[in-house]
Each structure stands twice: as structure tokens, then as C-alpha cells.
Amino acid sequence: MAPINDSITMLGELGCDHGLVVTGHNVTIYGLAVEHMLKDQVVWSGEGGAVYFYQSECPYDVTSEWADKGYVAYRVDEGVRSHIAYGIGVYTNFRDHEVWMETAIRTPTVVQRSIVQPFLTFLNGHGGIRSTINGVGPGVGEAGSFELQFFNNDCSWECR
């Protein structure tokens, strides 16, 4: 039996680029969780997708270069025209470096409004997320302590 490793896994150890890549059409997922991937956490390129609850924690030990490359927790490819998601939650704890993601979720404009009740949580650490989806909606991290923000999809924000 291998010894139990009680140390922290560091960037690059046991890593993979994405937790889920969906290329098929009409895929529905209930209760999706993806954490600590090296690039976008989820990449969705299939039409007619649906997600009912998604929980994602961004990697702890990345540098600002990770955010500068535009990685997000949930990406729907630009060519997709039909996709819905309810309750997408993105958490940050950038433990080692000051990292600011521009947005947690990236979708085509036509899909943006069908992402219902996304939310962000700043758990601890440095930096945070500047916006919820496509550069709009509240961010987290400015307070420097635990913070939770919901983006109410009642279209009080400008739907583009």
C-alpha cells in the first residue's frame, strides 16, 4: 500500500488542462463539479447544452499569467447558439499570488441571458474575480475576506 501523502498538491502535479470538455449536442448535466484545472475549468462547444448546478474552484497556486491568458471557470464557445445553465458557482482562493480574473464565465452574447443565477465566492487568498459573466455583474475579492455575490438574472443589468 502506498503511503498517504498529506501534503498540498502543487501546480503541475497531477494536473490536466480542463475538467470537462463537451463537444456533443443536447448534453444535460445535473450537479457538475470541476476544480483546480490548469486552463479553463469547463469548455462547452456542443449545441443545446444544459447544466443544472455547477460548482467550480479555480486553482490555488497559479500566478497572474494564468488570469492574463483569459482562463475562466466556465466557457461556452463563441459558435454556440443554444445553451442554458442554472446556478453556476465559481470560487477563488488564490493562495500564493495576486491573481485577478477578468470574468468567471465566458459565453457568446446570444447565450449570456440563459445563464441563470450565477454566483461568485471569494474564500480567501489574494486577488479575485472582477466580473461574473462576459465583463458584467459583480466581482469578488476587493474586500480581502470571505465574500459572496449573486448575479440576479432579472435583467436589471444590460442584456446585450
Side-chain angles (χ1 to χ4, degrees), residues 68-83:
D68 292 345
K69 291 180 180 179
Y71 295 133
V72 295
Y74 194 85
R75 181 179 303 275
V76 179
D77 283 350
E78 281 303 314
V80 173
R81 295 292 165 250
S82 173
H83 184 88

Side-chain angles (χ1 to χ4, degrees), residues 26-138:
N26 303 312
V27 174
T28 299
I29 298 177
Y30 298 93
L32 174 61
V34 174
E35 297 186 342
H36 310 284
M37 300 298 112
L38 300 176
K39 295 183 179 178
D40 289 333
Q41 306 301 288
V42 167
V43 177
W44 202 294
S45 61
E47 285 292 338
V51 173
Y52 298 89
F53 183 75
Y54 169 62
Q55 180 263 313
S56 179
E57 193 170 71
C58 298
Y60 292 165
D61 55 350
V62 293
T63 65
S64 61
E65 288 180 31
W66 184 82
D68 292 345
K69 291 180 180 179
Y71 295 133
V72 295
Y74 194 85
R75 181 179 303 275
V76 179
D77 283 350
E78 281 303 314
V80 173
R81 295 292 165 250
S82 173
H83 184 88
I84 60 171
Y86 295 88
I88 294 181
V90 180
Y91 305 76
T92 66
N93 179 14
F94 296 122
R95 182 187 63 217
D96 301 329
H97 304 282
E98 184 86 8
V99 177
W100 283 99
M101 295 172 66
E102 285 304 314
T103 196
I105 303 163
R106 181 76 63 197
T107 70
T109 304
V110 69
V111 169
Q112 180 175 321
R113 189 168 175 169
S114 66
I115 308 299
V116 179
Q117 296 293 348
F119 61 95
L120 307 179
T121 303
F122 174 87
L123 296 172
N124 200 356
H126 312 283
I129 305 171
R130 296 192 194 284
S131 67
T132 307
I133 181 170
N134 296 336
V136 297

